[in-house]
Amino acid sequence: RKPCFGRRRLCSTNFDTSGKLHVWRQESTSARERALQYLPGQRIHGFTVKEVVAVPDLFLTAVKLTHDKTGAKYLHAARDDSNNLFSVQFRTTPMDSTGVPHILEHTVLCGSKKYPCRDPFFKMLNRSLSTFMNAFTASDYTMYPFSTQNSKDFQNLLSVYLDAVFFPCLRELDFWQEGWRLENEKPTDPNSPLVFKGVVFNEMKGAFSDNERLYAQHLQNKLYPDHTYSVVSGGEPLVIPDLTWEQLKQFHATHYHPSNARFFTYGDLPLEQHLKQIEEEALSKFECIDPNTEVPSQPHWTSPREDHVTCSPDALAPDPTRQNTLCVSYLLGDNGFEEERIEALLHKIEIQMKHQSTNFGLSLASYIASSWNHDGDPVELLQISDSVAKFRQTLKENPHFLQEKVKHYFKENTHRLTLSMSPDEAYLEKQANAEEEKLQKKIQALSDRDREEIYKKGLELLAAQSKTQDASCLPALKVSDIEPTIPITPVQISTAGGVPVQYCEQPTNGMVYFRAMCSLNSLPEDLRLYVPLFCSVITKMGCGALDYRQQAQQMELRTGGMSVSTQVIPDSTELDVYEQGVLLFSLCLDRNLPHMFKLWSDIFNSPHFDDEERLRVLVMMSAQELANGISYSGHTYAMTRAGRHLTPAGDLQETFGGMEQVKFMKRVAEMSDFSQVIRALPRIKKHILNPENMRFAINATPQKMSDTAAQLESFMKDVAENRKERKPVRPNITEKPPLPVYLNWFTFFVQELNFQPCQMKTFFQMPFPVNFVSKSIRTVPFTHEDYASLCILARMMTAKFLHGEIREKGGAYGGGARMGAGGLFSFYSYRDPNSVQTLSAFFRGIDWAKSGQFTQQDIDEAKLSVFSAVDSPVAPADKGMGRFLSGVTDEMKQSYRQRLFTVSHKNLVDVAERYFNVGQLTYGVAILGPENDTIKKDPSWIVK
């Protein structure tokens, strides 16, 4: 596969069912140039072209169309990018908080007229090479996007998506599974208590355990109280059980109609083929209607309002007494707007236009969605330079333009809400009591016959979930459709000021990307926990002659961002070997190279660590962000903790980015005396910002490489005073192999001499109503012959066993298995109503794998799924990074690729037996979740 941008792929062909040949990619002209040939008024496959506009800033041509028969709106962005995207969105405007648009989004993907098998959406994840597949429910629209680099795959996925949204089965069983249901706690035991179950029900319980999400939801509901924005489109957990199956079907009938639809396609595939397929498979079967989904304007308040909400106290946030979050309208006087500040923000827009991401089509779809949803012009939104020019002209004609906007929208705006939030110690208890009250109210209304019917339906659903599904109706790619080899990414190795540099020439569109990897091998043990804090503050405290505000403004004016992050890189050949470091990253327009390196020089030579007030603010923000992130990334924290005692790299990852770091930052944030922290930061800087411990990488255009190299040499002279002789490493580690050459590259891998893997089960009691469960097993490193088989096994176990057990039967929002680069095979669940029961599902998954009860088709589907990740597009900014960061060369990747192709049924059973035998495996377990009596009574658990 060639790079996504600025390159043309070879022509690919395929045949339709009639045997007619389609040539999908033409080499004669670019996609942008071909699209410019369309004319307003031209009719194509039931659509009429309304507008054709070249958008040079974004390297695309926009073609706006309308469907003649239904009035459906269509926008095509023709761009020379092989990662093609499709999206269809509907304006969905619920008038209650039952979560009907959200539950419908889940349920339409559970089977359709043409593809009646259960859950075609999840099954297509393993039958395609998609680079993205998902669906989103916003406050007032629902979107269904996918992307792929394969033209045949695009047609397959388009067929499945069109049938799903326009002709879904909407079976009652699927509504029960995905939305909500009353069911016996143990479906096979009619005497077990009745409880609420359902994927969306549990998802939203998890979503509302995040206080920021809760606050934002209340803010919207109370600021727009008169229509759809006054309700929770995703579903309020206590209201979801009021939704009926009939209401769900009615909402689909009125909202999921072409007359209420907006289609978006992006990439280098021809527009005509998309239009033809959409017309034939969907739109031709509909007539025009008035969907009546418009949202009226919110009546303007004549005076400001105030409101207050409560939330759960977060045990991991700094000092719960400080947790009051207050949203107030702050007023700006006539202090003006600095010209340099305005230029910094306009520079940010320029960077965003030039920076090339791999998911540019998805970004565009998301960018235009909200405005287009309310009949805004999506083409106008794409013409960013025109908007900037118009803004500059307006500012020139009226220097007080921004002050007038502040006056109008902030200072004199009476439609203003002051919303405060404070923790309530009894919040969770009140929520649990309210749910129990709702449940009992439902139960009390049941007759004996109703109870019997609920038991029968529970068994019926369980039987459907347990039944082996025939997915033969679904389209699929073959393993033979996968490219056998990867393209080589050429890099040049040189030095600057004695420091190794990797240069990678790429079509970066006038951008330069700089990285510096700094080893931590000489860092004393007592400073390790402080490293993530150092990374988060080093670019935000001020440096040289700049205070922190001036530094932030210069970074915005001269760069596209400057960041510092911890890195724990497992070795590709040995489990107990790893590299520990800090990665500096920045990007800039090539004209700003000297300015970018000057900012880095000032950070190296004279960072400001002594502003205690600023440091305290940054620490509080960092600690709060970490605590808030757990409810969204709990499965990641669980997996990190489960792997802590299995490898040295896993131990360090927990230190830098796990629950240990969250708790450490909470302690630091609550310190009354910051002198210990202020002393630690310059000590860390001496070890990290030392050229003796570094290597650099530059990605830029060929024309800019010599200038970049010269600037890098100049930078090295500026920071030469930071160079210090490398001290001996910590006594318990040894650098391996001897420096400086490792895989033809300068890395600082180390081996822990005394590390002993051990088993540990840890439970973190959290203020959540759902669980995040993980089990990790120590296996083999990347280059081991069994690594590829374990990757395929993880994907197959997820699709063919764990998804059904954890999500469909268990009601968790997600779950599965994955093979990590560090040699850890991890099971996980996400927003899960169960805890120890899910651990049992993990064990049953192991038994399933050992039994070999899977087919060659199952294996091939798992291979497709793994290759879709392996072959996901790589942006020009990121080319060559595998080699730079971890020493993984293109040749090593190709060897891994060949092993993936050859994985057999026997290989999969063998690795399951070899690494998952109960008496032999070394594993760790971690659960984050609500109070759990079963675990508390079990002495084998460590409870935090």
Side-chain angles (χ1 to χ4, degrees), residues 590-610:
D590 50 27
R591 67 174 185 258
N592 284 324
L593 257 179
H595 301 287
M596 182 178 78
F597 279 124
K598 176 67 169 72
L599 284 165
W600 278 123
S601 296
D602 286 346
I603 288 171
F604 271 59
N605 293 332
S606 50
H608 299 177
F609 290 130
D610 51 1

Side-chain angles (χ1 to χ4, degrees), residues 189-247:
D189 180 4
N191 297 316
S192 62
L194 291 172
V195 293
F196 286 133
K197 294 183 182 179
V199 172
V200 170
F201 179 76
N202 288 313
E203 178 191 352
M204 296 311 294
K205 282 176 70 174
F208 278 101
S209 62
D210 172 20
N211 290 341
E212 281 191 352
R213 165 72 182 264
L214 184 69
Y215 183 81
Q217 185 68 60
H218 278 287
L219 187 65
Q220 175 180 292
N221 295 161
K222 293 174 187 299
L223 196 60
Y224 300 97
D226 291 355
H227 203 266
T228 189
Y229 305 114
S230 66
V231 304
V232 183
S233 63
E236 163 64 50
L238 293 178
V239 185
I240 287 174
D242 293 337
L243 181 66
T244 68
W245 180 40
E246 291 300 328
Q247 289 169 337

Side-chain angles (χ1 to χ4, degrees), residues 300-301 304 329-334 337 398 400-416:
H300 201 274
W301 297 343
S329 342
Y330 57 92
L331 307 180
L332 298 180
D334 294 325
F337 290 83
N398 178 11
H400 291 94
F401 172 72
L402 291 173
Q403 285 90 331
E404 288 171 6
K405 292 298 176 189
V406 168
K407 186 178 179 182
H408 176 72
Y409 287 113
F410 299 157
K411 201 168 184 179
E412 296 178 354
N413 187 357
T414 53
H415 196 111
R416 188 165 73 233

Side-chain angles (χ1 to χ4, degrees), residues 34 544 628 706:
R34 291 199 305 271
N628 290 343
S706 59

Side-chain angles (χ1 to χ4, degrees), residues 123-390:
K123 289 179 172 61
M124 285 305 293
L125 288 171
N126 306 296
R127 299 169 77 88
S128 89
L129 290 171
S130 65
T131 53
F132 185 85
M133 276 180 70
N134 215 328
F136 310 120
T137 302
S139 295
D140 53 9
Y141 67 86
T142 307
M143 176 189 280
Y144 295 84
F146 72 77
S147 60
T148 179
Q149 300 177 94
N150 183 290
S151 58
K152 180 181 170 186
D153 200 24
F154 191 97
Q155 285 181 309
N156 291 348
L157 289 168
L158 180 55
S159 182
V160 171
Y161 266 59
L162 289 174
D163 211 57
V165 297
F166 290 114
F167 312 108
C169 295
L170 297 183
R171 292 173 288 235
E172 192 174 15
L173 283 181
D174 296 325
F175 169 61
W176 295 341
Q177 175 182 288
E178 296 298 317
W180 78 276
R181 65 188 183 275
L182 264 183
E183 188 177 86
N184 294 99
E185 192 170 38
K186 296 178 181 176
T188 55
D189 180 4
N191 297 316
S192 62
L194 291 172
V195 293
F196 286 133
K197 294 183 182 179
V199 172
V200 170
F201 179 76
N202 288 313
E203 178 191 352
M204 296 311 294
K205 282 176 70 174
F208 278 101
S209 62
D210 172 20
N211 290 341
E212 281 191 352
R213 165 72 182 264
L214 184 69
Y215 183 81
Q217 185 68 60
H218 278 287
L219 187 65
Q220 175 180 292
N221 295 161
K222 293 174 187 299
L223 196 60
Y224 300 97
D226 291 355
H227 203 266
T228 189
Y229 305 114
S230 66
V231 304
V232 183
S233 63
E236 163 64 50
L238 293 178
V239 185
I240 287 174
D242 293 337
L243 181 66
T244 68
W245 180 40
E246 291 300 328
Q247 289 169 337
L248 182 89
K249 291 188 290 184
Q250 182 58 34
F251 193 87
H252 179 269
T254 54
H255 290 77
Y256 279 48
H257 190 281
S259 300
N260 192 42
R262 287 154 181 82
F263 294 88
F264 176 70
T265 50
Y266 162 91
D268 64 357
L269 292 176
L271 170 61
E272 292 96 325
Q273 177 63 37
H274 303 334
L275 299 178
K276 183 174 187 288
Q277 189 174 353
I278 291 168
E279 165 68 3
E280 290 177 354
E281 296 189 14
L283 302 196
S284 62
K285 300 172 174 63
F286 291 88
E287 301 295 331
C288 188
I289 66 164
D290 178 4
N292 194 27
T293 56
E294 293 85 0
V295 180
S297 294
Q298 167 69 42
H300 201 274
W301 297 343
T302 55
S303 60
R305 299 181 185 180
E306 293 187 9
D307 215 321
H308 180 80
V309 294
T310 58
C311 63
S312 63
D314 191 336
L316 288 169
D319 189 359
T321 60
R322 298 186 202 164
Q323 269 193 77
N324 281 24
T325 313
L326 184 65
C327 175
V328 294
S329 342
Y330 57 92
L331 307 180
L332 298 180
D334 294 325
N335 56 333
F337 290 83
E338 295 175 19
E339 186 177 347
E340 193 173 68
R341 179 69 185 140
I342 295 170
E343 287 302 320
L345 293 169
L346 294 177
H347 171 260
K348 192 174 182 180
I349 293 171
E350 184 181 0
I351 289 273
Q352 288 169 343
M353 286 193 293
K354 286 183 176 286
H355 175 67
Q356 301 177 34
S357 66
T358 57
N359 59 350
F360 191 74
L362 181 64
S363 299
L364 281 185
S366 303
Y367 169 62
I368 64 175
S370 189
S371 176
W372 197 18
N373 188 53
H374 296 293
D375 300 320
D377 183 357
V379 175
E380 189 179 315
L381 284 174
L382 299 178
Q383 295 170 305
I384 300 168
S385 278
D386 291 355
S387 298
V388 170
K390 186 178 176 183

